[in-house]
Structure formats: structure tokens, C-alpha cells
Amino acid sequence: MRNFIRLLFFCILVSSFSLKAQEVAILKYQGGGDWYANPTALPNLIKFCNNNIGTTLSSKPETVEVGSSSIFQYPFIHMTGHGNVVFSEEDIENLRNYLLAGGFLHIDDNYGMKPYITREIKRLFPDSNLEELGADHPIFSNSYRFVQGLPKIHEHDGQRPQAFAITFNNRIVLLFTSESDLGDGWEDPTVHNDSAEIREKALKMGANIITYVFKS
């Protein structure tokens, strides 16, 4: 009986994807990393998408915790930071269920996050590997064309930008962008003093990710 109730509750949560079709949220996690980094980034991306690609995203993104059932209300969850990330076993189970049920997680390394989040991704999907997306993947051309794939927004260690994915049933459920720093490019112009050209590239790439989630 207990398992049946849990399954019924899970199905109700999954159905909420259709009720809140264009909602996005920021993921709050444990471990000491600054999950709250780039506070103006997601609101700016939302505004850009609503103005340019016909979305109707809520202007103010919510914050959800990894282990909370409320993540099932949001088809798109964004995660960022510079440091450590730790998921509990309950977090792992909840986040995996969310992703396999149709959710999407975009993880944008704000520099320094990679060794920690890749460890947790392996716990999340122990039988899968992060696969690098080639420049010919539709996510780089669905709304705006990026001939070379993921654009470089901020320079850190002289490495090329890379987009990695976990797929399930031919659908990306987790996208990890590294050595790009898209979120910095989404922030208000005065935060990083990026040029208009750099910010436009970042926002257009973000719009492509949003398009993949909500319009594919």
C-alpha cells in the first residue's frame, strides 16, 4: 500500500509539468557551493526569450531544493556555482526521478564547479557517461546558429568551451556547460562589463537551450 501511494503521488507530481508548462527554477544544493551566484542571469535570460523567441516564461524564477517534490513543477531547472556540490541519497533519488519523468537540468559551471558536479552526476547516473555534444547538435541551431558549438563567454584556464549531456530515450535530460560561463553573460551589463556582442552570444545560446526544452 505504501509503495502504491508513493507511485500515485509521483504520477501527480509528473502531471504538473503540463500545468506549469513554462516555468523555470534555480536549484539550491548543499556542499558549500554558491548556488545563488549570478542573481540577475536567469531573469535576464527569461526576458530575452520572452521578447525574442515567443516564450511566456514567468519573469521571476523560483528557487527549489534538490530533494524537494516541488522540482516536479518546473520543466527547466538551472544550476550554477563555483565550488562544492553534495547530494544526499534522497536528493539523488528525487533528482533522478525528476529527470527521467521529463525534467531538464542545465548546469553551468561558473568556474571551479566541475570536479564536484561531475562526481555527483556519476552518482546520479552511474551507468551513463557525460557525452560531449558536437557542433551539429540541434541545440546549437534551433533558434540561433552557433557554427562552432558552445560559445566562449569568459576566459579562465585557456580551455575550449564544452557542452556535455546525459540523454534518456533520445532526449537530453541533463546539460552541463563548461569553460563557457553562459550565466556571466546573462547577467546585467555592469556586473562583468561584457560587451554587447558577448552578452548577445550568451543570451542567444541560452535561448537555444530554452527552445530545446519548451519547443522541441
Side-chain angles (χ1 to χ4, degrees):
M1 176 61 74
R2 181 178 298 177
N3 288 338
F4 173 76
I5 293 173
R6 289 180 64 189
L7 178 60
L8 179 62
F9 182 57
F10 177 71
C11 291
I12 292 171
L13 290 172
V14 172
S15 70
S16 66
F17 280 133
S18 62
L19 297 177
K20 290 195 172 186
Q22 293 204 340
E23 296 278 356
V24 301
I26 299 166
L27 194 68
K28 179 180 179 180
Y29 54 87
Q30 301 299 315
D34 53 341
W35 60 268
Y36 45 83
N38 295 351
T40 65
L42 207 51
N44 285 340
L45 177 62
I46 289 169
K47 182 178 180 180
F48 180 87
C49 290
N50 288 347
N51 289 342
N52 292 279
I53 62 171
T55 53
T56 56
L57 301 166
S58 297
S59 59
K60 183 180 178 181
E62 298 295 330
T63 297
V64 293
E65 297 191 18
V66 188
S68 170
S69 61
S70 62
I71 67 172
F72 289 88
Q73 299 177 33
Y74 304 97
F76 179 99
I77 293 179
H78 176 73
M79 178 180 183
T80 192
H82 296 82
N84 195 24
V85 179
V86 175
F87 294 152
S88 69
E89 290 302 323
E90 292 77 14
D91 291 341
I92 290 288
E93 180 180 7
N94 195 57
L95 186 55
R96 183 189 297 119
N97 286 339
Y98 162 80
L99 295 172
L100 298 184
F104 182 96
L105 175 63
H106 173 220
I107 306 168
D108 187 47
D109 187 355
N110 206 359
Y111 189 59
M113 189 186 200
K114 187 174 182 178
Y116 308 107
I117 191 59
T118 51
R119 176 196 65 206
E120 298 305 284
I121 291 172
K122 194 61 182 176
R123 292 179 60 216
L124 189 63
F125 292 105
D127 298 324
S128 301
N129 294 316
L130 284 167
E131 300 285 347
E132 185 173 1
L133 300 180
D136 59 345
H137 191 278
I139 206 167
F140 298 120
S141 59
N142 53 25
S143 284
Y144 300 100
R145 179 64 175 159
F146 289 88
V147 177
Q148 297 182 338
L150 187 69
K152 187 77 166 180
I153 304 304
H154 275 193
E155 185 62 67
H156 294 300
D157 294 327
Q159 299 181 26
R160 66 183 179 88
Q162 293 178 280
F164 301 95
I166 296 287
T167 59
F168 177 73
N169 287 342
N170 297 316
R171 179 184 70 89
I172 296 176
V173 298
L174 184 152
L175 177 69
F176 173 49
T177 48
S178 176
E179 289 294 331
S180 172
D181 231 341
L182 290 174
D184 278 7
W186 300 343
E187 286 228 83
D188 288 348
T190 55
V191 177
H192 300 288
N193 295 316
D194 289 328
S195 67
E197 179 184 5
I198 289 293
R199 292 190 73 248
E200 183 180 42
K201 282 199 301 183
L203 289 164
K204 285 182 174 180
M205 185 62 232
N208 277 15
I209 299 170
I210 293 289
T211 297
Y212 182 86
V213 176
F214 291 106
K215 295 189 173 186
S216 297

